[in-house]
Amino acid sequence: MVKYVTTPIYYVNDIPHIGHAYTTILCDMFKRYQTIKGNECLLLTGTDEHGQKIENSAKLRDKTPKEYTDEVSFKFQNLWNKFDIAYDYFVRTTNESHDSGVKRAFEEMYKNGDIYKGYYEGHYCISCETFFTKRQLVDDYFCPDCGKETNPLKEESYFFRLSKYEKKLLEWYNENPNIIMPLHKRNEVIKFVEGGLSDLSITRSGFKWGISLPPFIDDNKHIMYVWLDALLSYITPLGYGNDIPNKMYLFNDATHFVGKDILRFHAVYWPAFLMSLKLPLPKQIYTHGWWTIDGVKMSKSIGNVVNPDDIVNMYGLEVMRYFLIREVPFGQDGDFSHKALVDRANSDLSDTLGNLVNRLLGMSDKYFDLNLECENFDYLKNEIEQVSSIIRSLEIYMVNMMPHRYLEELWKIFDIANVSITKYAPWEMMKIGKVDDVKSLLVFISNILSKGALLIYPILPHTAREMMKCLKVDFSLYNKLIENDELLNKFTLTKIPPLFPKLEAQIIINRVEEKIDLKDEINISQFDKIDIRVGRIIEALDVKDSNKLLILKIDFGVNIGIKQIVSGIAKYYSPNDLKNILVCAIINLKPTKFMGILSEGMVLSTKDSKGMLRLVSVCDVEVGSKVG
Ligand code: MSP
């Protein structure tokens, strides 16, 4: 059966960051793994372009939603092209075919008695595009998912009878225990559903940027809820409810990759919608954790958002792919740091793999003019057995979505090759005329690298191809070398440039600091929206469990009062240095939370010539004075 794998479709209210790249690379890995196993697999990605958040982002930039969404959607698509993501579908929720598919689904659910009109009263988080009850809020005010401010709202709405599917969903989880992975995430979902499902508000009024309701309902006050719209993007490109050639059969074997924050939408709402539409349910929902940066949540106001394009320009695509997949167990949160990436690349990619290829090429060239042939591998029996047993163990790690373990184990075959070079010292064997034994060793190492190239292909496709070029092997050998565990006894090698030259951490990190990141032009009215004021730090406090953040209490004078701002400056200032300093801060940023601590603005800072962060300070100015 043909497989179908999807990334979440990305909101276009911001440019792609490392978290988006992570999910997309995981899906690309999944597809490539299926491909080498001989299974056809199609990959969908795309952009989620409706909703209030996006309408607001466009307004902020003085653009129409369409102009703005076109611009950001292309940025995503270009980036995935540059990253060589093997996607087959790039869906945009502003496509006409998607619009008609969503309308058809609404109509179908309505006909099936699953949609009714009522009133919704609750608190709305624009950032998550989700309603919450007062009970669910943090401190009666903040979103339980993202920590941002919510707005109270009562509005007429159409509802989906989610409650009707409670029992069926629980049956589905029970009958298919491995659908939601990792398992602890499955348990969270079951608990949530067992807690009782309320019907789901699936339309919005009060803003316009969304799909209108189907004509039969004759109600233009409402537009579709962005999550109903977005989830259906998994099937509209397959021809659901529109005139695109019908490929709905692909949905018989669908795998969704999602971040932990959007699991509920995929594991509860989505299957319930599909049940209502009488369509097949997903076969697999893989849930990954979140990336933090040097231990801190990524956030524009802290200024620590990592742009994957910069990472690729600095270190290369394959290094980034390897780091993201190898560094953190799938399902857990992970920390991104330049140092960790450089260390990981240098030890695994340069020292182990790159070096092994170099050694093989060096010796094969010197002793045999790159032509290797051997009669037998008798004295390498133990090593051969170890390599076979490692390769046999690998599949289970992919099936259980543990790609970091897959790589960890796979790297052991390269270790075996490196160790056997040291152990048998071919240069010594050559001195005493054991030429055939040296040939056997080099052919054995060529076999390890050939098998390795096929097996790293899902994660490092370009490196795999380079290695195959060097070894003159290709994908048609997968069955022979991997499934049947055979060895080739002849290789003609081709020299290739060194794989993964060592990265110099300091140079790279300095380059990151030096990068000039010019922003898009804005006009004066956009700048005028930013309220920057002078304030005096009256107290600075450490944040428990963080060596990056400080809590600053800042006095902005009688009219504005005292505000609490969390700032990522702990590495550069100790709380005692900060008392009474006059700083400049943006005070009209939406309040947010870092590590559960409320932050009501952002202090301005820059970096000195040594890359040390410095607060922007002023002298002899009244607190509360406007900066602009
Ligand atoms: N548009 C919705 C998805 C609709 S799918 C029908 C959405 N978009 S998003 O752009 O906000 O997020 C897309 C994915 O990026 C989510 O899976 C989310 O978990 C992931 N990430 C966002 N920030 C992340 C990190 N810091 N780290 C890892 N992934 C994170 O949600």
Side-chain angles (χ1 to χ4, degrees):
M1 196 173 347
V2 188
K3 288 184 178 282
Y4 180 53
V5 61
T6 69
T7 75
I9 55 164
Y10 301 109
Y11 285 133
V12 291
N13 60 326
D14 210 347
I15 57 163
H17 60 57
I18 199 81
H20 301 134
Y22 179 54
T23 328
T24 310
I25 288 167
L26 283 166
C27 291
D28 185 69
M29 172 196 82
F30 181 90
K31 170 174 172 171
R32 290 180 195 268
Y33 182 71
Q34 295 303 330
T35 313
I36 53 163
K37 301 275 293 166
N39 302 324
E40 197 185 342
C41 179
L42 296 174
L43 164 53
L44 170 137
T45 187
T47 42
D48 189 353
E49 305 185 13
H50 290 129
Q52 195 165 5
K53 196 165 38 170
I54 288 156
E55 194 178 77
N56 290 348
S57 293
K59 216 179 273 165
L60 206 72
R61 292 165 176 85
D62 270 352
K63 296 202 166 135
T64 64
K66 179 73 182 118
E67 281 166 354
Y68 174 66
T69 53
D70 279 352
E71 199 179 285
V72 186
S73 179
F74 290 142
K75 281 192 182 149
F76 273 93
Q77 199 163 358
N78 286 340
L79 192 70
W80 303 153
N81 291 343
K82 177 172 170 186
F83 287 6
D84 197 20
I85 300 296
Y87 65 87
D88 302 279
Y89 296 98
F90 189 95
V91 62
R92 297 186 56 185
T93 55
T94 48
N95 289 346
E96 241 168 67
S97 50
H98 176 73
D99 184 288
S100 55
V102 173
K103 288 190 166 78
R104 166 69 68 79
F106 191 98
E107 190 167 348
E108 203 62 30
M109 291 173 177
Y110 194 90
K111 273 198 212 140
N112 293 338
D114 284 341
I115 292 181
Y116 64 93
K117 200 172 181 178
Y119 276 92
Y120 194 89
E121 199 167 359
H123 292 254
Y124 195 61
C125 173
I126 296 181
S127 185
C128 298
E129 301 280 10
T130 307
F131 272 118
F132 295 98
T133 58
K134 185 123 189 157
R135 200 164 46 91
Q136 292 173 301
L137 298 179
V138 175
D139 298 339
D140 287 345
Y141 190 54
F142 297 102
C143 170
D145 287 348
C146 73
K148 295 200 178 126
E149 189 186 332
T150 60
N151 300 314
L153 208 66
K154 177 175 181 185
E155 60 177 38
E156 190 185 69
S157 173
Y158 288 83
F159 285 83
F160 174 74
R161 286 189 204 283
L162 186 63
S163 53
K164 171 173 151 189
Y165 291 96
E166 198 176 298
K167 203 161 148 253
K168 274 180 102 178
L169 284 166
L170 288 170
E171 277 164 18
W172 181 57
Y173 308 136
N174 278 337
E175 283 158 17
N176 302 278
N178 294 324
I179 282 192
I180 302 165
M181 283 215 222
L183 285 183
H184 67 274
K185 287 285 161 200
R186 167 182 187 265
N187 298 339
E188 280 175 24
V189 169
I190 293 179
K191 245 197 186 146
F192 175 79
V193 177
E194 281 174 345
L197 292 177
S198 314
D199 290 347
L200 183 71
S201 161
I202 51 160
T203 61
R204 295 287 179 268
S205 50
F207 65 97
K208 287 271 161 254
W209 186 237
I211 296 182
S212 54
L213 304 195
F216 84 93
I217 213 160
D218 194 21
D219 187 342
N220 57 15
K221 273 213 313 271
H222 299 266
I223 53 171
M224 304 275 185
Y225 173 40
V226 68
W227 269 100
L228 173 64
D229 166 355
L231 287 162
L232 288 161
S233 72
Y234 295 143
I235 53 174
T236 54
L238 307 182
Y240 179 84
N242 54 47
D243 48 18
I244 290 179
N246 193 300
K247 287 209 171 177
M248 276 302 285
Y249 66 89
L250 285 176
F251 207 71
N252 289 326
D253 192 350
T255 295
H256 301 303
F257 276 82
V258 298
K260 62 181 182 178
D261 53 319
I262 58 170
L263 175 60
R264 195 191 325 143
F265 298 93
H266 286 80
V268 182
Y269 305 162
W270 180 226
F273 294 158
L274 290 166
M275 285 172 185
S276 173
L277 295 171
K278 303 187 176 32
L279 290 172
L281 304 184
K283 283 275 174 317
Q284 192 79 70
I285 304 172
Y286 288 126
T287 316
H288 66 74
W290 268 44
W291 284 93
T292 52
I293 310 302
D294 291 321
V296 178
K297 183 181 160 189
M298 247 192 293
S299 145
K300 273 212 272 188
S301 51
I302 291 193
N304 66 349
V305 175
V306 173
N307 178 342
D309 198 25
D310 292 345
I311 300 301
V312 167
N313 293 338
M314 279 182 276
Y315 306 111
L317 177 60
E318 303 271 283
V319 169
M320 181 176 79
R321 285 177 70 107
Y322 183 79
F323 176 76
L324 292 178
I325 293 175
R326 173 65 182 86
E327 188 69 6
V328 175
F330 182 89
Q332 292 181 21
D333 290 343
D335 194 43
F336 185 95
S337 81
H338 290 273
K339 178 161 182 344
L341 181 144
V342 167
D343 288 350
R344 177 62 77 187
N346 281 345
S347 77
D348 295 6
L349 298 176
S350 307
D351 293 348
T352 305
L353 178 58
N355 193 28
L356 177 61
V357 175
N358 267 347
R359 293 169 98 183
L360 172 71
L361 281 173
M363 288 185 284
S364 306
D365 190 24
K366 183 166 171 196
Y367 303 140
F368 307 113
D369 231 359
L370 298 173
N371 289 307
L372 305 173
E373 192 166 2
C374 73
E375 293 288 311
N376 64 63
F377 300 98
D378 292 349
Y379 78 100
L380 293 161
K381 249 183 22 230
N382 284 344
E383 285 85 354
I384 289 171
E385 185 36 52
Q386 285 168 20
V387 170
S388 300
S389 106
I390 290 167
I391 291 178
R392 276 196 303 271
S393 76
L394 289 179
E395 181 160 6
I396 197 74
Y397 298 118
M398 275 301 188
V399 173
N400 289 321
M401 202 33 69
M402 298 165 83
H404 74 291
R405 288 283 296 121
Y406 175 93
L407 286 174
E408 189 180 12
E409 287 306 301
L410 174 54
W411 245 248
K412 290 184 182 162
I413 70 171
F414 303 135
D415 287 337
I416 291 172
N418 275 318
V419 168
S420 53
I421 295 176
T422 313
K423 176 172 165 194
Y424 297 112
W427 47 92
E428 298 296 337
M429 293 203 278
M430 286 304 280
K431 278 189 208 152
I432 53 172
K434 287 180 146 186
V435 178
D436 285 346
D437 284 350
V438 174
K439 278 188 181 161
S440 298
L441 181 66
L442 296 184
V443 173
F444 169 58
I445 289 165
S446 302
N447 272 291
I448 290 186
L449 285 169
S450 302
K451 290 171 192 258
L454 292 165
L455 292 163
I456 61 168
Y457 170 75
I459 296 102
L460 300 177
H462 296 282
T463 308
R465 289 218 169 87
E466 254 324 83
M467 288 166 66
M468 288 188 209
K469 192 167 98 190
C470 166
L471 296 150
K472 282 218 183 73
V473 293
D474 59 42
F475 292 107
S476 65
L477 287 167
Y478 186 84
N479 271 348
K480 192 177 171 81
L481 291 178
I482 308 295
E483 302 287 349
N484 301 342
D485 192 22
E486 291 178 35
L487 293 170
L488 305 176
N489 61 2
K490 193 173 168 189
F491 285 89
T492 306
L493 305 183
T494 303
K495 283 194 176 171
I496 53 167
L499 297 173
F500 304 112
K502 265 213 160 142
L503 300 171
E504 295 292 337
Q506 210 38 52
I507 294 172
I508 299 278
I509 287 162
N510 288 342
R511 251 197 282 158
V512 180
E513 311 287 344
E514 276 166 19
K515 218 183 129 272
I516 299 172
D517 191 8
L518 289 180
K519 304 214 163 123
D520 293 346
E521 182 180 285
I522 57 166
N523 59 34
I524 192 71
S525 70
Q526 287 167 314
F527 179 72
D528 264 352
K529 290 182 184 153
I530 307 172
D531 197 349
I532 307 174
R533 302 280 173 159
V534 174
R536 183 181 301 283
I537 299 179
I538 51 174
E539 196 178 2
L541 301 165
D542 289 317
V543 173
K544 192 167 165 271
D545 296 332
S546 168
N547 54 3
K548 307 282 178 325
L549 298 179
L550 288 183
I551 304 171
L552 307 176
K553 306 253 175 162
I554 305 178
D555 178 13
F556 291 97
V558 278
N559 293 330
I560 303 169
I562 295 171
K563 283 183 178 281
Q564 169 169 298
I565 295 182
V566 179
S567 184
I569 57 173
K571 273 206 290 188
Y572 308 96
Y573 290 94
S574 73
N576 290 339
D577 303 337
L578 292 169
K579 202 141 182 224
N580 283 326
I581 287 186
L582 284 177
V583 289
C584 299
I586 304 175
I587 57 160
N588 64 334
L589 270 185
K590 224 170 215 220
T592 187
K593 285 194 170 179
F594 298 112
M595 300 182 77
I597 304 161
L598 179 69
S599 180
E600 301 172 292
M602 181 175 113
V603 286
L604 302 187
S605 63
T606 182
K607 290 216 168 128
D608 68 15
S609 56
K610 296 193 190 83
M612 301 293 278
L613 191 135
R614 297 283 108 205
L615 288 172
V616 174
S617 186
V618 287
C619 304
D620 300 332
V621 179
E622 291 285 298
V623 289
S625 301
K626 204 165 175 348
V627 180

